């Protein structure tokens, strides 16, 4: 084992521990590791910065803005209201009417805004028809993840792997290439949720903080509002004693909920963390001032954040179709021959769509930077450098050789299964993009050492990195519904673990049939 392999291995262990401890933002953790690799000569400055100019990473940034345009148009809020039953039905029938449609939407839009808009509406609807919202919010998060597996733009993870493939000298993924395995997993996942989630998910948990009437506050037009803290919230890791919430936002914190449960004792001594749900007493001016702010992932007060009356929903949906159809048609051989000098790919059409949305003020062009999750972009950019360091040092080849030895020459199917498990464990503990960065070089090394096509291994990395169902910390949408639905950690384990297993079985059996070794 060389010195470079030892250094990379130690730093990756440090990176995993830091990501799990959640003391720093993921982007800064990965960037810190890259700086160490640069200092010891494992990667060059050019290799360190390549991810920051990668087309896949920039496409993710553009799609944040496209998703924001769709969100602010009100089209998503109108859509979910259309598909929700207007009278009381069974949980099964209600899920049947909404889950497939939500999965379809999430195949083309960023998962987070879909859940941010849908979750409060579904919670209010469930209360109105006297059904427990807990039977719908975790399934909401899960079907957005499942839908994201089906297309190139469904999740940032697919675009990250796509960019790494191109950097490695391969063709990359087409718009609907992942649909061959993503759609069967999504269909199976929806069937599983329809049949089992009612029994596995908890009943409604009482939320006294949203009904209490303290000191005549309701008479002053104040009402309870739930806010979920985002990564940009300036009071992260500070107590309410140190961070004056009322001075910053004009409202008083009544309760802090974490992991689905209210925190007992003096809340002023609690260190605030990303994903915490705070219950505050506020009037409508708070929503108007902070509804668009990136410091809060979600604000729920019983009203719609976007009514969309001032936006042209039809125009926005036409732009979305233009982007999707254009990127799909642009991959056809005939189009490539007709336009050899212009690559009409997803990046091209996402860029055009974003600029049209900005020019027509679908999203506020003066505030466009606030709609981009910069830490996710930095994480993605650094992921390319992490992957390069694993390759340059020889660590990827060494781990691949160990995996092959452990399998005792049982063939590529066993290795495919092992790669899925390794990637899936990473994505449940850390971020999906960091998991893809660690697994991608292993996939390439395994295929090279076996002398087979890398595509089955690459596709498995995409699916396994997105299959974050068993914990609320692996995927932001899980964290959002945990806060608004008062779920416990074990609720995700109980419902999500069989879904992980389902994705594993379908992937290992189906992928080699579609992408032969």
């Amino acid at each position: 084992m060389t010195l470079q392999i030892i250094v990379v291995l130690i730093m990756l262990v440090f990176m995993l521990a830091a990501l799990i401890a959640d003391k720093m933002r993921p982007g800064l953790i990965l960037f810190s590791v890259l700086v160490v690799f640069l200092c010891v000569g494992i990667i060059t400055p050019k290799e360190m910065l390549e991810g920051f100019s990668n087309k896949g990473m920039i496409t993710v940034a553009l799609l944040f803005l496209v998703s924001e345009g769709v969100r602010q148009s009100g089209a998503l809020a109108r859509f979910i209201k259309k598909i929700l039953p207007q009278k009381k039905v069974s949980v099964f029938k209600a899920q049947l009417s909404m889950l497939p449609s939500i999965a379809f939407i999430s195949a083309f839009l960023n998962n987070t805004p879909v859940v941010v808009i849908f979750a409060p509406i579904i919670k209010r609807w469930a209360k109105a028809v006297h059904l427990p919202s807990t039977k719908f919010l975790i399934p909401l998060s899960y079907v957005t993840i499942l839908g994201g597996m089906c297309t190139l733009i469904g999740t940032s993870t697919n675009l990250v792997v796509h960019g790494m493939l191109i950097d490695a000298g391969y063709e990359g993924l087409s718009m609907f290439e992942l649909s061959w395995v993503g759609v069967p997993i999504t269909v199976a996942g929806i069937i599983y949720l329809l049949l089992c989630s009612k029994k596995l998910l908890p009943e409604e948990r009482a939320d006294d903080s949203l009904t209490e009437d303290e000191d005549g506050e309701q008479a002053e037009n104040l009402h309870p509002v739930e806010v979920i803290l985002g990564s940009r919230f300036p009071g992260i890791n500070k107590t309410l004693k140190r961070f004056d919430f009322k001075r910053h936002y004009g409202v008083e914190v009544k309760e802090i909920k974490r992991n689905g449960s209210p925190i007992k004792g003096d809340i002023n001594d609690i260190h605030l963390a990303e994903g915490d749900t705070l219950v505050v007493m506020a009037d409508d001016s708070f929503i108007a001032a902070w509804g668009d702010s990136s410091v809060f992932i979600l604000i729920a007060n019983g009203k719609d954040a976007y009514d969309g009356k001032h936006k042209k929903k039809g125009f926005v949906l036409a732009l979305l179709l233009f982007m999707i159809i254009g990127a799909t048609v642009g991959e056809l051989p005939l189009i490539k021959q007709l336009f050899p000098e212009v690559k009409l790919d997803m990046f091209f059409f996402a860029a055009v769509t974003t600029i049209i949305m900005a020019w027509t003020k679908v999203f506020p062009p003066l505030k466009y930077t606030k709609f981009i999750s910069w830490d996710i972009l930095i994480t993605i950019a650094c992921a390319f450098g992490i992957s390069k360091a694993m390759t340059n040092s020889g660590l990827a080849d060494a781990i691949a050789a160990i995996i092959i030895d452990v399998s005792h020459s049982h063939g590529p199917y066993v290795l495919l299964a092992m790669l899925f498990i390794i990637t899936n464990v990473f994505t449940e503990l850390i971020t999906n993009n960091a998991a893809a960065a660690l697994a991608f070089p292993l996939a390439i090394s395994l295929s090279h050492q076996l002398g087979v096509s890398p595509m089955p291994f690459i596709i498995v990395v995409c699916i396994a990195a997105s299959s974050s169902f068993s914990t609320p910390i692996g995927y932001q949408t899980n964290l959002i519904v945990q806060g608004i639905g008062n779920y416990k950690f074990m609720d995700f384990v109980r419902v999500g673990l069989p879904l992980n297993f389902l994705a594993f079985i379908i992937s290992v059996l189906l992928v080699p049939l579609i992408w032969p070794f």
Side-chain angles (χ1 to χ4, degrees):
M1 185 177 291
T2 66
L3 180 60
Q4 284 195 343
I5 290 179
I6 294 173
V7 171
V8 173
L9 193 58
I10 290 173
M11 292 309 300
L12 290 184
V13 171
F14 161 78
M15 183 185 80
L16 289 172
L19 287 170
I20 294 170
D22 197 26
K23 296 298 184 183
M24 295 169 61
R25 297 299 305 146
L28 188 57
I29 292 171
L30 267 68
F31 189 74
S32 301
V33 174
L34 278 189
V35 171
V36 174
F37 291 156
L38 177 69
C39 291
V40 297
I42 295 173
I43 58 174
T44 65
K46 181 182 177 181
E47 290 172 332
M48 178 180 175
L49 297 174
E50 277 177 352
F52 290 88
S53 61
N54 183 270
K55 187 185 289 186
M57 187 274 291
I58 298 173
T59 303
V60 172
L62 295 172
L63 291 175
F64 277 128
L65 296 176
V66 172
S67 295
E68 182 62 25
V70 176
R71 181 172 84 133
Q72 294 214 17
S73 74
L76 287 178
R78 184 176 181 182
F79 168 81
I80 190 64
K81 289 177 182 178
K82 288 281 187 183
I83 66 173
L84 289 174
Q86 297 306 306
K87 58 183 179 179
K88 184 173 181 179
V89 295
S90 65
V91 170
F92 176 85
K93 289 183 178 179
Q95 288 183 343
L96 183 61
S97 69
M98 68 176 73
L99 297 187
S101 301
I102 294 172
F104 178 80
I105 288 291
S106 68
F108 303 103
L109 291 175
N110 185 280
N111 295 346
T112 301
V114 172
V115 173
V116 164
I117 288 181
F118 287 4
I121 294 175
I122 290 174
K123 185 174 182 178
R124 292 198 307 275
W125 162 83
K127 183 178 180 180
V129 297
H130 307 292
L131 289 173
S133 62
T134 48
K135 304 295 184 183
F136 302 99
L137 295 175
I138 278 183
L140 165 66
S141 178
Y142 285 174
V143 293
T144 60
I145 296 172
L146 289 168
M149 296 179 185
C150 298
T151 66
L152 176 63
I153 62 172
T155 173
S156 60
T157 307
N158 296 345
L159 285 165
V160 169
V161 175
H162 170 71
M164 289 180 174
L165 264 177
I166 293 174
D167 282 356
Y170 296 94
E171 181 67 23
L173 301 171
S174 62
M175 180 67 174
F176 293 101
E177 187 169 358
L178 288 164
S179 301
W180 291 102
V181 64
V183 170
I185 292 174
T186 300
V187 171
I190 290 175
I191 292 173
Y192 160 73
L193 290 171
L194 289 173
L195 296 178
C196 302
S197 64
K198 182 181 177 181
K199 294 181 179 179
L200 296 175
L201 287 168
E203 295 298 323
E204 196 84 57
R205 293 189 172 106
D207 199 350
D208 298 333
S209 62
L210 295 182
T211 57
E212 64 185 2
D213 184 355
E214 295 185 4
D215 303 324
E217 287 174 308
Q218 300 289 345
E220 301 175 15
N221 296 320
L222 298 180
H223 48 268
V225 176
E226 287 182 299
V227 298
I228 299 179
L229 304 184
S231 60
R232 295 192 187 183
F233 178 69
I236 295 293
N237 294 326
K238 296 179 181 177
T239 64
L240 288 177
K241 283 183 179 178
R242 288 185 55 203
F243 183 82
D244 192 336
F245 199 95
K246 190 167 186 176
R247 182 175 64 84
H248 279 82
Y249 304 109
V251 294
E252 185 176 352
V253 178
K254 292 295 183 183
E255 185 179 69
I256 301 174
K257 292 187 286 186
R258 184 174 297 166
N259 298 327
S261 300
I263 293 177
K264 305 297 183 182
D266 188 358
I267 60 173
N268 292 307
D269 294 327
I270 302 300
H271 287 81
L272 300 173
E274 180 186 359
D276 282 352
T277 300
L278 273 57
V279 179
V280 302
M281 299 303 295
D283 58 20
D284 289 340
S285 65
F286 174 77
I287 307 297
W290 299 100
D292 273 338
S293 174
S294 57
V295 300
F296 303 119
I297 302 175
L298 180 146
I299 297 178
N301 73 325
K303 300 180 182 180
D304 294 338
Y306 297 96
D307 57 20
K309 292 178 181 178
H310 62 293
K311 302 292 184 181
K312 297 179 179 179
K313 301 182 185 69
F315 174 68
V316 171
L317 294 178
L319 281 177
L320 188 62
L321 286 174
F322 160 77
M323 181 185 77
I324 296 166
I325 295 172
T328 304
V329 173
E331 296 168 352
L332 298 176
L334 177 61
I335 301 299
K336 291 180 179 180
Q337 291 177 2
L338 291 175
F339 303 96
E341 296 182 0
V342 181
K343 189 170 179 59
L344 300 175
D345 57 3
M346 177 49 64
F347 170 77
F348 177 89
F349 284 98
V352 172
T353 302
T354 300
I355 292 303
I356 293 175
M357 284 186 170
W359 287 348
T360 55
K361 297 185 178 180
V362 172
F363 58 80
L366 293 177
K367 300 179 180 178
Y368 78 98
T369 56
K370 70 188 297 183
F371 306 123
I372 298 173
S373 296
W374 294 103
D375 188 74
I376 291 178
L377 295 186
I378 293 172
T379 301
I380 292 172
C382 293
F384 287 87
I386 299 291
S387 180
K388 181 68 71 174
M390 291 179 66
T391 302
N392 290 355
S393 66
L395 178 61
D397 289 337
I399 295 176
I402 293 171
I403 294 173
I404 292 173
D405 288 341
V406 169
S407 68
H408 297 296
S409 301
H410 285 308
Y413 277 89
V414 173
L415 298 178
L416 206 63
M418 293 178 68
L419 182 64
F420 186 103
I421 293 170
I422 291 170
T423 308
N424 200 228
V425 170
F426 282 155
T427 203
E428 294 289 8
L429 297 176
I430 57 177
T431 68
N432 50 337
N433 293 317
L438 293 175
F440 181 85
L442 295 182
I444 296 295
S445 294
L446 282 171
S447 64
H448 285 173
Q449 293 187 37
L450 291 172
V452 299
S453 169
M455 286 310 296
F457 298 97
I458 296 301
I459 299 299
V460 159
V461 168
C462 287
I463 300 299
S466 293
S467 299
S468 181
F469 304 112
S470 299
T471 70
I473 61 176
Y475 219 91
Q476 191 176 47
T477 57
N478 289 347
L479 202 61
I480 293 170
V481 298
Q482 183 189 34
I484 194 171
N486 298 323
Y487 290 111
K488 309 288 186 183
F489 187 94
M490 287 305 298
D491 293 331
F492 289 89
V493 176
R494 186 167 52 252
V495 185
L497 202 56
L499 200 50
N500 280 88
F501 184 72
L502 200 61
F504 167 74
I505 293 296
I506 294 174
S507 297
V508 173
L509 294 179
L510 194 58
V511 167
L513 299 179
I514 301 168
W515 296 271
F517 290 109

